[in-house]
Amino acid sequence: MQKNEVQLEELGSIRNNQVFSGFTDDEFEKIQDHMYLRQYKKGQVLFDNGDYRNRIYFLIEGLVRVERYDSSGTFCYLDYVKKEHLFPYGGMFFD
């Protein structure tokens, strides 16, 4: 199976997930046109606090730690995102 076939198969399989169950097939097809399958290494930063949010992530496998540093440089753990969840919710709909 080629890379594109694997991505299409994986993207198609999330259609049955509860997160996407409220979409019609036509709506999901429009969303799917903008989905990308990516793998990230442990410890890799996906975005920083204050970054422009132009993506929303759906975690297929693994665990994501949400953390930040405040203005004094103090580390703050916020949450963990488990598989089959969307994130981040905050900051997506602001200019």
Side-chain angles (χ1 to χ4, degrees), residues 2-14:
Q2 294 181 348
K3 184 177 180 180
N4 289 342
E5 292 174 358
V6 172
Q7 288 181 341
L8 289 174
E9 182 179 312
E10 189 70 43
L11 290 174
S13 71
I14 68 169

Side-chain angles (χ1 to χ4, degrees), residues 44-54 57 65-78 87-92 94:
Q44 186 171 346
V45 175
L46 302 180
F47 53 87
D48 286 314
N49 192 31
D51 283 354
Y52 175 72
R53 303 267 174 86
N54 59 354
Y57 297 86
R65 184 173 62 197
V66 180
E67 58 188 39
R68 72 173 178 191
Y69 291 88
D70 65 17
S71 58
S72 70
T74 303
F75 170 79
C76 179
Y77 150 77
L78 299 174
F87 72 99
Y89 293 112
M92 284 298 297
F94 298 102

Side-chain angles (χ1 to χ4, degrees), residues 38 40 45-47 55-59 81 85-88:
R38 300 282 188 262
Y40 296 97
V45 175
L46 302 180
F47 53 87
R55 292 188 176 116
I56 191 162
Y57 297 86
F58 178 74
L59 187 60
V81 178
H85 284 83
L86 290 170
F87 72 99

Side-chain angles (χ1 to χ4, degrees), residues 10-22:
E10 189 70 43
L11 290 174
S13 71
I14 68 169
R15 174 66 177 115
N16 297 323
N17 188 282
Q18 183 179 3
V19 171
F20 300 101
S21 64

